Amino acid sequence: GAVVSQHPSRVICKSGTSVKIECRSLDFQATTMFWYRQFPKQSLMLMATSNEGSKATYEQGVEKDKFLINHASLTLSTLTVTSAHPEDSSFYICSAQRTGSEKLFFGSGTQLSVL
Amino acid sequence: GENVEQHPSTLSVQEGDSAVIKCTYSDSASNYFPWYKQELGKGPQLIIDIRSNVGEKKDQRIAVTLNKTAKHFSLHITETQPEDSAVYFCAASWGNTGNQFYFGTGTSLTVIP
């Protein structure tokens, strides 16, 4: 099966610091990766679409300078939450779409807590 | 844009009974419909999917049906087990690489032993 590895699974940081989350497709190439945010008992909220070698496309209301996305290779995308604040605390999930396929596979998520 | 509605939001069934979750979509251009299972604190897991040129697909105890005319699709779980308890999300997409997925609001399924 297709495996998407996301790290870290949980991170606690102080307000004002930056946090980097990695998303790797382990056994397939992913031209497109998506980043989501999920609040408790709610659905997935798309933050941005990341295409390998291109700038990410951000959804309305998502600050691109705060949520930096890099998709430098076909197997790795990173999300950096810059100058994190308590309101950024959330569950962040990445997903990877196998190149040439419509199937979408998710990472295990990162629970970010900003103190 | 696409709008995906999912019902019910919560569902409780006795172990061994069947569970059905329904979704509707608005964009007739959507042609790929996956279902995901999400356990607490984990990412969603793809459990079954269907393309618009197929009306039904089965995988052991799980099946998905699609009615293109009515723009709705359903997840059927038979002989439910406690480990089926999770949140289930439906989604719709245009089916090509790079196209956005539109998710339903989720159904919290509880299987009572």
Side-chain angles (χ1 to χ4, degrees):
Chain A
V3 179
V4 177
S5 175
Q6 184 174 344
H7 291 283
S9 58
R10 184 177 294 272
V11 58
I12 301 172
C13 68
K14 292 182 178 179
S15 186
T17 60
S18 294
V19 174
K20 180 185 280 189
I21 303 170
E22 286 193 352
C23 181
R24 294 180 184 272
S25 54
L26 296 185
D27 51 359
F28 65 97
Q29 292 186 331
T31 304
T32 302
M33 291 187 176
F34 300 93
W35 287 93
Y36 297 87
R37 188 171 177 177
Q38 188 177 37
F39 294 101
K41 298 187 178 181
Q42 292 192 22
S43 189
L44 303 160
M45 184 183 79
L46 179 65
M47 298 176 66
T49 302
S50 166
N51 287 300
E52 185 266 337
S54 304
K55 288 185 178 179
T57 302
Y58 291 82
E59 294 300 299
Q60 192 172 6
V62 178
E63 299 176 56
K64 63 179 181 180
D65 294 330
K66 180 167 188 62
F67 299 99
L68 301 178
I69 292 173
N70 184 281
H71 191 166
S73 78
L74 287 172
T75 59
L76 174 64
S77 178
T78 61
L79 167 68
T80 300
V81 183
T82 62
S83 187
H85 291 286
E87 57 264 31
D88 299 324
S89 298
S90 190
F91 192 57
Y92 293 87
I93 314 174
C94 72
S95 64
Q97 192 171 32
R98 188 195 299 266
T99 301
S101 168
E102 70 274 329
K103 292 185 185 291
L104 187 68
F105 301 96
F106 284 86
S108 51
T110 297
Q111 183 64 52
L112 171 63
S113 299
V114 184
L115 304 178
Chain B
E2 174 68 281
N3 181 44
V4 177
E5 295 189 356
Q6 183 173 346
H7 299 281
S9 57
T10 60
L11 178 61
S12 292
V13 298
Q14 291 288 335
E15 182 177 358
D17 287 351
S18 296
V20 180
I21 303 170
K22 299 182 179 180
C23 287
T24 61
Y25 62 99
S26 60
D27 189 350
S28 57
S30 292
N31 59 11
Y32 175 65
F33 308 93
W35 284 89
Y36 292 88
K37 174 184 180 182
Q38 185 177 27
E39 297 177 342
L40 191 63
K42 298 183 179 179
Q45 176 190 6
L46 178 66
I47 56 172
I48 196 167
D49 56 5
I50 191 168
R51 295 187 183 91
S52 59
N53 59 348
V54 176
E56 182 176 359
K57 183 177 179 181
K58 270 188 177 181
D59 183 3
Q60 299 182 339
R61 298 187 295 108
I62 295 173
V64 56
T65 58
L66 171 66
N67 183 324
K68 280 178 56 179
T69 304
K71 296 198 190 76
H72 66 70
F73 56 112
S74 300
L75 177 70
H76 305 253
I77 306 174
T78 58
E79 301 173 28
T80 53
Q81 301 168 3
E83 50 265 38
D84 294 328
S85 297
V87 177
Y88 292 80
F89 290 98
C90 63
S93 171
W94 288 353
N96 296 320
T97 301
N99 282 318
Q100 186 176 149
F101 283 69
Y102 296 87
F103 289 88
T105 48
T107 296
S108 178
L109 172 65
T110 302
V111 179
I112 304 166

